[in-house]
């Protein structure tokens, strides 16, 4: 059935089409059903339908998501009821504890990408994987399906490298430093990062303080070709697009099934064309995993990477406490700049970890000895070459004006001489989110001390920053009522 | 924030509000977020929001579901962002295998009813219960939460009885017969039934062939007060409304966690005010449960019913094959009428089972002996009193004009003399759905024989009926390619 697109801009966060009553009856669809929308020479789009009673019979209203996908968003579209999918059967199969074939996994992932599955159906899939796990073969097929259903970047020359941390450690913003050093040393790092899901900031949120991060594929390629690197947000690039949808459903309950963690990370690396991959797994009491879990997970990453013919190395790093001093987009960006500028007040733990990761990745790429790599990366940072490279990348992506620190702050001071025993990472992230992170960019926490620091009476332990007075007072209350930092 | 309701009728199958861009920014909500909508002296309504760009700043568009709930659907509403719910935490808790408290279960069910939880979140809840089960206490609390969050009927006098079959057996349409007999004998049966979910017909679909079934509470009460009974559809009455939402999410994957089956059935019985409840659990190879599962389930029904101070009896009945000859709304209604009319070609298995269930329920209500009950119910049917009562109920609900049988049909004939060994209930339901059931009311299957019947060469085994030629030929193909009936 051919219908004219009516210009009524509706943003629903998902593809929705509004049909007049008579048309829906003719198509035998009701609200919540799915239809296929197409135009000559373009892909079919699947949309959920709502009924708009006073719409002329020959017209259709399309939500923004659909208009973006159409070639002629103000012309005509062909509309038909969507064919039912077999993927729900495969999801039920996993939920009942059975192993899925490659074909079945591809069907599910393709249907997620094309909007053929509802969020509730995706939630069942996540639960199924969460409860019954995925075998190695299933995880490999999931990874393959996830990256093949999106855009893939390819590079004519050069060694393409990437690093990834599984997260969970506040302030752990090594990526911009590692990428700048490697780019200096001739390694191509088309780095894409995510925004915060449950943390105070993701690398994309931090980079956005300094430059634009929503690049098109062309802008990304141009930046990498000019500077050897980029520090972009992965969300706007359509790389492994099923991952965004899966994460959206997982975050409803903060679930993170292991197979999806593995496939999510690996599919992103494969889609940007990486051949050398370093995985950082922080472990510890307040990290995402314990040391023994980290070892197991590391082996799985290694096996998965090898099956895609990647040169892959996994490092396990202590994750008992935050890295650096700042927590939150603005404050973490300050930490990164201090290290690159070699400021006297730079966070040495962040510098040390960044140098370690850069050296490990360089060894993997070039086969250099540890000694040679250590010296090369260290020289790159001390000499200011890494800073210069970082500034090049920022200019290339589009530099942003400087921000001022948040207006409202509160310093928690020590009432006696004492020594820090433990810092609860999760609670600290939660506190930063109460302060407004990640959407309020200059809100956050500055941690003046780390574990084993001896703090003297009246010295500040940490300072809370917020763009909103109410949020600061809410966070202050939360800080005083919960034992986020333990002392000896 | 006060906004004017704009008259644009949109049916989305769920409560959706369309906000202009500026208003959404002021409220700090984005598409997919939830807002609370209220009017003086009415309950708060939770709606998902979409953005409608060209809407005036002071206006709001509300979907049909919301307009139905408002007192003044063309006035003003007060709008604010919805408070986040703790229920997602409780759902995660269940998904991680932990027991839920009464407070937590009530929070989840209240949030389902008030639209505070998304379908994806409800899917996680269903998965959690499906995987980790519910204890007796949790099931009891779930039942209580389900019926207390909806409307409850109460009756001034009389013994209020109800029967329920857990389903799975095609053609098993005993309810209209049992209810008519009991109503004759002075027992009040305010019977509400469901429509088909995965079967060819639900009792509500069958009754709808003969009379109106979408009654208001007042119509239902009036009918019961006049005739001692009703045979209404439960969906329009707001009895245990969370159940409809749960079923909607469960049917996506055809899941039916035991605790939800128990709570769903029992909450409906409690909400119509029943005190005497008979549960029919058909068992067998092609039934929903085996004999041993039926026994276990029966004990759980019994314990659950007792905890709500119901007089409850569970009967286990053979469910190896369809009951009666017709499968599908129209054909099953014909079976019911034949039994009530005592026609010579009536299905005797349906009559026998109906008399058995009616007698069991009468014994439970009045404490009569089996012999006395058997004779009373049998007399009621043979004398035509049950038919008269049935016709009273139909008139009271609003009689419908007679339908004609479906236009297209195909009789499968036996190629030799043979004996039926097995009939696959699930495949037969599936076949009926291919033929158009339950939405095409006169489509369906007429089963000429049952297990152990000896069929002579050229005699029909079953006849397919469909309102659509294409569906008939699709069903015929399916019938010939699958071994739905096995012979000795």
């Amino acid at each position: 059935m051919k219908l004219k697109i009516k210009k009524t801009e509706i943003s629903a966060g998902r593809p929705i089409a509004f049909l007049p009553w008579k048309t829906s009856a003719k198509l035998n669809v009701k609200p919540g059903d799915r239809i296929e929308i197409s135009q000559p020479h373009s892909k079919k789009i699947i949309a959920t339908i709502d009924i708009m009673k006073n719409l002329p019979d020959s017209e259709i209203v399309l939500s923004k998501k659909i208009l973006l996908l159409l070639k002629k968003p103000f012309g005509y579209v062909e509309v038909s009821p969507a064919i039912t999918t077999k993927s729900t059967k495969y999801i039920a199969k996993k939920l009942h504890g059975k192993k899925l074939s490659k074909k079945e996994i591809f069907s599910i992932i393709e249907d997620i990408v094309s909007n053929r599955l509802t969020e509730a159906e995706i939630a069942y899939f996540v639960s199924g994987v969460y409860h019954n796990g995925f075998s190695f073969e299933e995880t490999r097929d999931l990874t393959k399906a996830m990256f093949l259903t999106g855009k893939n970047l390819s590079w004519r020359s050069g060694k393409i490298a990437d690093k990834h941390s599984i997260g969970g450690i506040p302030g752990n913003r090594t990526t911009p430093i590692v990428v700048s050093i490697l780019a200096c040393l001739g390694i191509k790092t088309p780095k894409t990062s995510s925004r915060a899901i449950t943390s105070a900031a993701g690398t994309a949120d931090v980079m956005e303080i300094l430059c634009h991060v929503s690049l098109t594929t062309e802008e990304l390629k141009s930046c990498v070709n000019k500077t050897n690197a980029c520090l972009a947000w992965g969300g706007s690039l359509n790389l492994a697009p099923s991952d965004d949808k899966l994460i959206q459903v997982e975050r409803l309950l903060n679930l993170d099934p292991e197979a999806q963690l593995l496939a999510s990370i690996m599919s992103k690396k494969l889609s940007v064309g990486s051949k050398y991959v370093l995985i950082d797994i922080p472990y510890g009491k307040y990290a995402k995993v314990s040391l023994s879990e980290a070892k197991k997970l590391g082996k799985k990453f290694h096996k998965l990477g090898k099956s895609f013919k990647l040169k892959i190395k996994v490092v396990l790093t202590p994750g008992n406490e935050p890295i650096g001093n700042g927590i939150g987009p603005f404050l973490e960006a300050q930490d990164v700049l201090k290290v690159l500028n070699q400021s006297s007040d730079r966070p040495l733990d962040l510098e040390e970890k960044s140098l370690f990761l850069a050296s490990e990745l360089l060894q993997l790429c070039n086969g250099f000895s540890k000694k040679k790599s250590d010296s090369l990366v260290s020289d790159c940072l001390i000499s200011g070459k890494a800073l210069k490279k970082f500034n090049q990348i920022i200019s290339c992506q589009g530099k942003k004006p400087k921000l001022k620190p948040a207006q409202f702050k509160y310093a928690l001071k020590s009432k006696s001489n004492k020594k820090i025993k433990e810092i609860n990472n999760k609670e600290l992230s939660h506190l930063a989110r109460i302060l407004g992170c990640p959407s309020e960019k200059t809100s956050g926490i500055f941690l003046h001390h780390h574990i084993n620091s001896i703090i003297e009476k009246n010295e500040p332990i940490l300072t809370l920053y917020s763009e909103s007075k109410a949020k600061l007072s809410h966070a202050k209350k939360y800080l005083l009522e919960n034992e986020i930092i333990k002392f000896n």
Side-chain angles (χ1 to χ4, degrees), chain A:
Chain A
M1 187 181 293
K2 206 176 173 185
L3 297 171
K4 190 175 188 308
I5 302 169
K6 191 183 167 171
K7 292 185 202 178
T8 303
E9 204 170 314
I10 288 179
S11 305
R14 58 200 184 290
I16 289 199
F18 297 82
L19 291 179
W21 195 260
K22 271 197 188 163
T23 311
S24 74
K26 264 187 210 162
L27 289 169
N28 195 21
V29 289
K30 55 181 191 311
D33 285 352
R34 268 136 215 266
I35 54 167
E36 291 185 357
I37 296 170
S38 59
Q39 276 186 335
H41 315 297
S42 77
K43 262 190 168 181
K44 276 183 184 166
I45 301 160
I46 314 280
T48 311
I49 76 134
D50 285 356
I51 309 293
M52 199 179 265
K53 235 178 178 170
N54 44 7
L55 196 65
D57 281 359
S58 58
E59 296 189 6
I60 185 169
V61 168
L62 301 171
S63 76
K64 208 175 157 189
K65 279 238 166 165
I66 305 176
L67 295 176
L68 288 173
L69 292 168
L70 288 178
K71 298 232 161 151
K72 289 181 187 168
F74 298 112
Y76 286 85
V77 282
E78 192 61 41
V79 165
S80 60
I83 300 151
T84 51
T85 169
K86 283 193 173 170
S87 294
T88 48
K89 276 197 179 174
Y90 307 148
I91 292 171
K93 192 175 163 188
K94 175 79 315 192
L95 209 56
H96 296 140
K98 288 186 191 121
K99 200 173 159 173
L100 297 184
S101 72
K102 186 174 167 180
K103 198 190 114 204
E104 290 163 346
I105 290 171
F106 266 74
S107 164
I108 294 169
I109 296 301
E110 280 162 4
D111 284 346
I112 289 175
V113 172
S114 69
N115 190 40
R116 227 178 262 272
L117 289 172
T118 63
E119 285 194 11
E121 286 160 341
I122 298 171
Y124 281 126
F125 178 58
V126 172
S127 303
V129 178
Y130 180 76
H131 269 284
N132 301 311
F134 249 21
S135 69
F136 171 71
E137 290 73 24
E138 287 176 304
T139 310
R140 187 196 56 206
D141 294 338
L142 179 65
T143 307
K144 204 174 265 180
M146 283 171 78
F147 92 85
L148 287 181
T149 47
K151 209 175 266 181
N152 292 291
L153 304 182
S154 59
W155 306 93
R156 289 214 181 146
S157 64
K159 289 185 171 170
I160 317 299
D162 208 338
K163 74 152 278 273
H164 190 94
S165 169
I166 69 156
I169 314 301
N172 186 20
R173 207 53 56 208
T174 58
T175 298
I177 305 168
V178 173
V179 165
S180 302
I181 292 174
L182 284 169
C184 268
L185 295 166
I187 308 293
K188 271 203 178 107
T189 46
K191 181 71 196 153
T192 64
S193 306
S194 53
R195 297 189 186 278
I197 299 174
T198 56
S199 69
T203 295
D205 300 309
V206 173
M207 285 311 300
E208 205 173 29
I209 296 295
L210 307 166
C211 61
H212 293 282
V213 294
S214 299
L215 308 185
T216 63
T217 311
E218 291 65 38
E219 287 166 342
L220 182 148
K221 288 202 114 178
S222 149
C223 188
V224 174
N225 286 331
K226 272 186 206 153
T227 70
N228 263 349
C230 69
L231 285 153
W233 174 47
S236 55
L237 293 161
N238 201 34
L239 307 166
S242 58
D243 193 39
D244 300 339
K245 197 80 201 175
L246 281 164
I247 287 174
Q248 194 182 326
V249 173
E250 285 169 11
R251 71 193 290 185
L252 292 171
L253 292 199
N254 281 334
L255 294 180
D256 200 0
E258 192 186 77
Q260 266 160 33
L261 172 88
L262 286 161
S264 160
I265 293 172
M266 210 55 91
S267 63
K268 288 272 162 83
K269 306 301 135 196
L270 289 164
S271 63
V272 296
S274 303
K275 301 291 175 201
Y276 301 84
V277 174
L278 181 70
I279 304 286
D280 170 29
I281 307 181
Y283 64 88
K285 185 173 171 182
Y286 293 113
K288 278 191 179 173
V289 289
S290 67
L291 180 57
S292 67
E293 287 166 342
K295 281 181 183 167
K296 273 186 214 161
L297 185 61
K299 277 185 191 157
K300 288 180 184 172
F301 264 117
H302 204 265
K303 192 175 172 189
L304 187 60
K306 285 283 169 196
S307 81
F308 288 103
K309 295 184 180 157
L310 295 179
K311 285 236 175 198
I312 185 166
K313 188 164 187 177
V314 178
V315 291
L316 312 184
T317 55
N320 253 336
E321 60 175 327
I323 306 276
N325 304 116
I327 297 164
F330 175 78
L331 293 166
E332 292 182 35
Q334 299 309 106
D335 273 5
V336 167
L337 290 174
K338 281 179 190 169
V339 171
L340 288 167
N341 279 299
Q342 293 287 291
S343 310
S344 58
D345 62 346
R346 69 191 185 274
L348 294 174
D349 58 340
L350 179 64
E351 173 172 305
E352 192 191 336
K353 183 164 179 183
S354 302
L355 288 173
F356 166 72
L357 294 175
S359 170
E360 287 290 332
L361 191 47
L362 187 62
Q363 291 166 49
L364 186 70
C365 290
N366 282 353
F368 293 162
S369 69
K370 180 172 165 23
K371 202 178 159 188
K372 186 174 174 185
S373 276
D374 281 355
S375 134
L376 280 168
V377 302
S378 163
D379 175 60
C380 209
L381 182 65
I382 296 167
S383 66
K385 283 184 206 160
L387 174 64
K388 208 176 147 190
K389 178 57 76 181
F390 185 68
N391 285 330
Q392 272 176 20
I393 300 167
I394 283 181
S395 302
C396 222
Q397 294 191 190
K399 198 173 175 169
K400 281 199 172 176
K402 267 190 189 168
L403 291 180
K404 280 183 189 166
Q407 193 188 345
F408 304 99
K409 62 180 179 174
Y410 163 76
L412 175 72
K413 288 180 183 168
S414 181
K415 286 178 184 160
S416 58
N417 294 351
K418 51 190 178 181
K419 196 170 146 188
I420 296 182
K421 191 183 160 194
E422 280 186 4
I423 301 175
N424 187 323
N425 285 331
K426 277 175 201 162
E427 287 287 0
L428 216 53
S429 289
H430 185 63
L431 187 64
R433 288 181 80 97
I434 295 175
L435 286 159
C437 294
S439 62
E440 292 183 7
K441 297 185 175 302
T442 61
S443 296
I445 303 165
F446 189 90
L447 202 62
H448 298 272
H449 294 279
H450 281 81
I451 289 178
N452 290 331
S453 280
I454 293 161
I455 309 173
E456 282 173 30
K457 195 178 164 180
N458 288 327
E459 227 189 320
I461 306 166
L462 52 79
T463 304
L464 307 181
Y465 289 87
S466 185
E467 297 177 14
S468 129
K469 205 173 172 180
K471 284 181 184 164
L472 182 71
S473 90
H474 180 184
K476 191 176 153 185
K477 189 161 174 272
Y478 190 86
L479 173 64
L480 299 176
E481 281 172 4
N482 291 279
E483 206 184 14
I484 298 176
I485 297 183
K486 283 188 188 170
F487 299 91
N488 273 93

